[in-house]
């Protein structure tokens, strides 16, 4: 039996070459060196190609040994390592990867479907910034265009508290030094400014603090110049050397803090452009115009009443922001602001100035608490002036008391006293209950209900005409005349109440002014025992000054009441002027009644027995009435002091203007003719000249005031 042979077996037969060939050389084993003399003779050397044409020689790979080494068996007693099942590992890895993918998928669903709107909104909020574009507030002007209120450029002074720390400034008291420099410019206490410059304990990282708002350009310029001067000083070579020493250890001459001269305490102070409400006329018509608060919102007077009209509509601008900086290439939106409308009043600035000066002087002379003057055009109902004393300067609200900021001519409710007798006489004449020359016997006292009534002075029995009752301002004579308005006292009360209502008593004037009082007038069935006799002569009811003025304007206008007006018109953002509608008209008494009442009122001024002699104006016929009433103290609700007043119109033959004067709680005198008569004369004379009203062309009728029994 033959055994297998291998390549290295010596018994393996050799291959014979083909016929005609040479015998084959013995085959070498892998790795065995070639023997000398074996194999074919060497081939002749080939010529070597040029260097550029040389190619790397390809060496034949050695043939691997076709035999595999026999597998080794583990030695006896050796530990056998058994590998884990690969399928099990594969299942575990697959499960883990599946869990990861499920988590990712769930999160993706949450972001894309459930929270997509909220995330988009949040991204937009972080990416886009919305900035408000404030609207320019409209101006308030007088009838001739004189600016009473307008908006001007201003600056908010701000600071970065983090720039005032000892670490930032190398000064232990940087806020105090900066406050000392700013206080004289801003008019603020040093302590308040220093507190604002210190880090906020609640928000220590805050880099914004508002020191004061709406400062004038002059104040901003002062701060800028001072800041620039300090910056130049701190940049000197001396300061540079000190800063170099600051970084060295103390043993080498270093310093913990810098000298004051080498630090700019205002480095952290900045400013932002804003607007400020300005009142160029200062206190002129301030109680009427009102004021705005620190936010620029109307807070009093017409500024409050017409806040929406004056304020306009703010715009906005949205832009992309990244890292706190605006992205110039990103798109944004912009809605321009709509400026507020301008408000033109019916106020004549010259007449307003004359009225304020007159009432201010008389309030001071009388030692009174306050006073007010109203000037009204009898034909149109427009208010030409509404002056109050004491007033205030809306440019400096800090110097005004709270009780000075209102408009008492519209907000005070007071008992009119004898000026209300005009309405009682109008009812008596208009109903035909009596005539101007009706004889009235006036005793010294009169018992009615549970009271005994008196006139202002003790007197013997007076024998007066109805015109004389008005001229001498007799309370008793007025009560007797009012009793003829009806067959019973209850019916007489209803008739009088009806005329009071038509004159506008107990009703709003129609101005809509903030805080305006409508007065107090009870229903006639609620008038108590004494009230039904006091109301005819002006006690037991209350009015505001414009209501009382309107009563006389109604008589001056031939018995037709025209609703008062303060606004002449508005100018919108488009520059178009829109006049205000005319005041609503209503007839109160007949023209004949109004004419008779006018002649009766002239007797109050011209007759020697009249109470209004101090209201006479040379060249003009004047019709008017004095008033002196017990004053109700608004704090206690009890009578305390007096209310003095005078209301009249001129020229009496061709009425043009009504002027009223009211003085509250005077000390030096208390009669209306004594205190308010001179004020009426001064204001009326100026008004007639300003309006170029010609003098009267006829003499007053001088109706008889008494008769002989």
């Amino acid at each position: 039996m033959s055994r297998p042979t291998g390549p290295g077996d010596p018994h393996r037969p050799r291959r014979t070459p083909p016929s005609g060939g040479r015998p084959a050389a013995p085959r070498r084993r892998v790795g065995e060196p070639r023997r000398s003399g074996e194999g074919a003779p060497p081939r002749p050397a080939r010529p070597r190609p040029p260097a550029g044409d040389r190619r790397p020689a390809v060496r034949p790979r050695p043939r691997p040994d076709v035999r595999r080494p026999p597998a080794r068996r583990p030695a006896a007693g050796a530990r056998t390592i058994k590998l884990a099942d690969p399928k099990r590992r594969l299942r575990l890895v697959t499960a883990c990867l599946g869990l990861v993918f499920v988590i990712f998928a769930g999160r993706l669903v949450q972001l894309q479907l459930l929270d997509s709107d909220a995330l988009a909104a949040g991204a937009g909020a972080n990416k886009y910034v919305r900035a408000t574009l404030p609207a320019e507030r409209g101006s308030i002007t007088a009838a001739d265009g004189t600016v009473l209120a307008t908006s001007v450029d201003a600056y908010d002074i701000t600071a970065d508290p983090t720039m005032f720390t000892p670490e930032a400034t190398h000064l232990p008291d940087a806020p105090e030094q900066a406050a000392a420099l700013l206080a004289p410019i801003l008019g603020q206490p040093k302590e308040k400014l220093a507190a604002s410059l210190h880090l906020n304990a609640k928000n220590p990282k805050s880099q914004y603090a508002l020191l004061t708002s709406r400062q004038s350009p002059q104040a901003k310029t002062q701060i800028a110049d001072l800041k620039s001067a300090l910056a130049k000083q701190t940049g000197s070579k001396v300061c540079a050397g000190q800063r170099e020493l600051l970084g060295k250890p103390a043993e080498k001459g270093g310093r913990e803090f810098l000298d004051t001269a080498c630090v700019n305490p205002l480095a952290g102070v900045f400013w932002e452009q804003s607007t400020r409400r300005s009142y160029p006329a200062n206190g002129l018509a301030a109680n009427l115009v009102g004021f705005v608060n620190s936010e620029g919102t109307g807070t009093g007077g017409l500024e409050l009443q017409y806040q929406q009209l004056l304020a306009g509509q703010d715009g906005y601008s949205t832009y992309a922001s990244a890292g706190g900086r605006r992205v110039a290439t990103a798109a944004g939106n912009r809605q321009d602001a709509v400026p507020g409308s301008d408000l033109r009043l019916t106020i004549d600035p010259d007449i307003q100035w004359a009225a304020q000066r007159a009432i201010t002087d008389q309030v001071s002379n009388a030692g009174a608490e306050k006073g007010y003057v109203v000037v009204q055009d009898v034909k149109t109902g427009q208010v030409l002036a509404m002056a109050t004393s004491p007033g205030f300067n809306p440019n400096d609200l800090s110097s005004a008391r709270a009780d000075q900021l209102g408009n008492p001519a519209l907000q005070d409710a007071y008992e009119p006293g004898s000026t209300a007798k005009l309405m009682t006489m109008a009812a008596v004449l208009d109903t035909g209950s009596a005539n101007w020359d009706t004889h009235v016997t006036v005793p010294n006292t009169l018992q009615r209900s549970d009271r005994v009534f008196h006139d202002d002075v003790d007197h013997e029995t007076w024998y007066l005409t109805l015109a004389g009752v008005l001229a001498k301002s007799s309370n008793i004579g007025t009560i007797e005349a009012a009793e003829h308005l009806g067959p019973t006292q209850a019916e007489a009360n209803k008739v009088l109440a009806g005329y009071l209502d038509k004159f506008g008593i107990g009703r709003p004037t129609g101005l809509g002014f903030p805080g305006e009082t409508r007065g107090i007038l009870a229903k006639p069935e609620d008038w108590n025992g004494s009230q039904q006799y006091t109301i005819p002569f002006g006690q037991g009811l209350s009015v505001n000054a414009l209501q009382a003025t309107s009563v006389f304007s109604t008589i001056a206008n031939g018995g037709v009441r025209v609703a008062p007006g303060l606004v002449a018109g508005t100018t919108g953002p488009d520059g178009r002027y829109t006049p205000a509608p005319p005041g609503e008209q209503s007839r109160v008494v007949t023209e004949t009644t109004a004419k008779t009442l006018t002649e009766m009122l002239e007797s109050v001024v011209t007759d020697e027995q009249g109470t209004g002699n101090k209201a006479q104006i040379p060249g003009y016929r004047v019709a008017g009435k004095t008033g002196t009433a017990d004053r109700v103290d608004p704090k206690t609700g009890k009578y305390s002091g007096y209310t003095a007043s005078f209301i009249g119109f001129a020229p009496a033959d061709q009425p043009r203007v009504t002027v009223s004067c009211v003085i509250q709680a005077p000390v030096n005198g208390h009669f209306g003719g004594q205190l308010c008569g001179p004020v009426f004369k001064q204001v009326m004379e100026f008004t007639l000249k300003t309006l170029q009203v010609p003098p009267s062309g006829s003499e007053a009728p001088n109706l008889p005031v008494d008769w002989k029994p």
Side-chain angles (χ1 to χ4, degrees), residues 250-323:
E251 60 272 11
K252 295 185 179 181
R255 301 183 181 183
E256 183 179 359
F257 294 107
L258 283 174
D259 292 338
T260 302
C262 290
V263 175
N264 184 357
L266 302 183
V269 177
F270 309 96
W271 44 83
E272 299 174 355
Q273 189 167 4
S274 178
T275 59
R276 176 175 60 88
R277 200 64 167 167
S278 175
Y279 301 88
N282 293 320
L284 187 69
N287 298 83
L288 183 61
V289 172
F291 53 93
V292 299
N293 60 15
S294 59
E295 301 298 326
T297 304
T299 309
L302 296 176
E303 292 273 29
L304 171 60
Q305 181 179 354
Y306 293 96
Q307 161 63 22
Q308 186 173 1
L309 179 72
L310 293 167
Q313 185 176 357
D314 290 343
Y316 66 88
S317 173
T318 59
Y319 59 88
S321 175

Side-chain angles (χ1 to χ4, degrees), residues 120-286:
N126 293 330
K127 180 179 179 181
Y128 287 94
V129 177
R130 183 185 178 101
T132 300
L133 303 177
E136 182 180 357
R137 190 175 181 86
S139 299
I140 300 177
T141 63
D144 65 348
T146 300
V147 178
L148 302 177
T150 188
S151 295
V152 296
D153 291 339
Y155 294 87
D156 295 338
I157 308 302
T158 64
D160 181 355
T162 61
M163 298 178 67
F164 291 89
T165 61
E167 295 77 13
T169 61
H170 302 292
L171 285 178
D173 58 346
E176 286 71 20
Q177 291 189 29
L181 294 172
L182 294 173
I185 301 176
L186 302 180
Q188 300 283 340
K190 294 187 294 185
E191 296 75 14
K192 180 181 178 181
L193 293 174
S196 300
L197 294 173
H198 280 286
L199 288 177
N200 189 342
K202 296 182 180 180
N203 189 9
K205 295 183 179 180
S206 174
Q207 296 180 312
Y208 179 85
L210 179 63
L211 302 183
T212 184
S213 61
R214 292 176 170 80
Q215 291 294 309
S216 66
Q218 292 78 7
K220 173 256 182 184
T221 301
Q222 285 183 277
I223 296 175
D225 292 344
L226 182 57
K227 183 177 179 179
S228 178
L230 292 173
K232 292 180 180 179
Q233 178 178 321
T234 57
S236 64
K237 294 182 178 180
V238 175
C239 293
Q242 291 196 17
R243 277 188 285 272
E244 183 179 356
L245 289 175
L246 185 66
K248 296 181 179 180
E251 60 272 11
K252 295 185 179 181
R255 301 183 181 183
E256 183 179 359
F257 294 107
L258 283 174
D259 292 338
T260 302
C262 290
V263 175
N264 184 357
L266 302 183
V269 177
F270 309 96
W271 44 83
E272 299 174 355
Q273 189 167 4
S274 178
T275 59
R276 176 175 60 88
R277 200 64 167 167
S278 175
Y279 301 88
N282 293 320
L284 187 69

Side-chain angles (χ1 to χ4, degrees), residues 586-607:
S586 60
R587 178 163 290 281
V588 180
V589 296
T590 65
E591 188 174 357
T592 301
T593 298
K595 183 178 180 181
T596 302
L597 285 170
T598 299
E599 294 177 349
M600 292 170 64
L601 289 173
E602 286 189 84
S603 298
V604 176
V605 178
T606 60
D607 194 271

